[in-house]
Amino acid sequence: MSSLKGREIVLGVTGCIAAYKSAELVRHLVKQGACVHVVMTDSAREFVAPLTFQTLSGSPVTTGLFKLYEEKEIGHISLARRADVIVVAPATANIIGKVAGGIADDILSTVIMASMSPVLFAPAMNESMWKNPILQKNLKILKNLSYNFVNPGWGDLACGAQGEGRLAEADDILDEITCMLSTKDFEQKRALVTAGPTCESIDPVRYISNPSSGKMGFSIARALIYRGADVTLVSGPTALSPPRNVKFVPVRTAEEMALAVEDEFGQTDIVIKAAAVADYRPANTALQKIKKENKGLVLEMEKTRDILAALGEKKAGRILVGFAAETQDLFSNALVKLKKKNLDMIVANDVSRNDTGFGTDINKVEIIMADGSVEDLPAMGKDELADRILDKIAQIVKKSELK
Ligand code: PMT
């Protein structure tokens, strides 16, 4: 599982100009179903009012150790115990130094000291402070003690200079939190995912393709990373940024995808083919732009290689998962593909609806296993579906390891 739904997150905000960016982080966390409890230091409150965080999180903000009402409602020990993860964003040199030195003299450092939960720091500060050897020594101490970090980025800093020290983007912090909270059931597994469309050129400025956005394949690659796998993502052209920590191989044509997949296959345990690969390509690509004439144009097409079928012939102990995009007879057409391509599982994708499938944020699928069992899933977001697909693959992995 790599979902934040129902997870308890204590977000510590410290005194830094980037404190306002944590409001955006709270918004994202709440949107993903997490319960967020914000703890602010005195200096954080000089930058942003607690009401901002209270409104966005829907929970009271904790601001001090000695506030009788707050301690009665939700004491620092209870906060320390209930947190699935403690996130400190932005984290100043001060809080990093305090924790590294074992100091617990305010609400946030006390909650961290009293907690057994994993802690993630997202540092933000002026570049000279970031490079200060004392801070670097403190980072080392904390890393050796298994504290987690999302490093700051490079760019314009509040002091007017440019350099390293900007708070990491909310998406990257969110990514790290999800990763920390995910079950690592794909650890030590090497997975190869394909995504997106292929583009087959007619001439230098025209091509044949399909509306795959890559969202489904990218969601699967991201969920695999969260769940501990080593991931290679081979993708046709999309507008998406590759998930963090994947080995990304961009391709354009079906043939380029076939070559990239062949290259990786030897060192892969699990292949998931979510790409929409062209079945046909123009037999000849014109070297110059084809001129418009006063008659129709007939293109001769030739078959591309079926990448997945070729993998099925040499699969050995690997797990092969395909997708089948169908507009009719979903189950029977997908079952034929599962058998013909020697797959362990196929995700039969109903692309007859306008609101699911290609280019949208949701898919409506049936998951068919090699033994013929089927799970008919309701339409759901591609991130959630990625997890459901991985749950099924995890079962296959478990079974194959018992053999
Ligand atoms: O990218 P999105 O916008 O998120 O859309 C997702 C999706 C609709 C593209 C995806 O969920 C999906 O259904 N992908 C499979 C689409 C498809 O091409 O299905 P198919 O039935 O034509 O192919 C069956 C399987 O064989 C697929 O796993 C495909 O990757 C593979 N194949 C097909 C042709 C070919 N030459 N080589 C292949 O490996």
Side-chain angles (χ1 to χ4, degrees), residues 194 196 211-217 273-279 304-308 322-326 337 341 349 351 357-360 363 382:
T194 68
S212 169
S213 62
K215 286 179 183 170
M216 187 68 248
K273 286 221 74 241
V277 187
D279 290 322
T304 58
R305 291 200 261 167
D306 190 320
I307 307 166
L308 191 51
F323 271 72
E326 305 293 344
K337 286 178 185 169
K341 302 190 188 201
N349 196 356
V351 291
F358 287 94
T360 66
N363 259 351
K382 288 176 178 173

Side-chain angles (χ1 to χ4, degrees), residues 246-292:
V246 300
K247 175 179 170 191
F248 185 63
V249 185
V251 296
R252 181 176 163 80
T253 64
E255 187 55 25
E256 283 174 20
M257 186 172 280
L259 293 173
V261 166
E262 266 170 18
D263 245 19
E264 293 291 331
F265 190 58
Q267 57 269 8
T268 295
D269 303 305
I270 302 163
V271 179
I272 309 173
K273 286 221 74 241
V277 187
D279 290 322
Y280 295 92
R281 65 174 164 236
N284 299 298
T285 301
L287 289 177
Q288 303 300 333
K289 184 180 170 194
I290 297 172
K291 293 282 174 224
K292 185 165 70 182

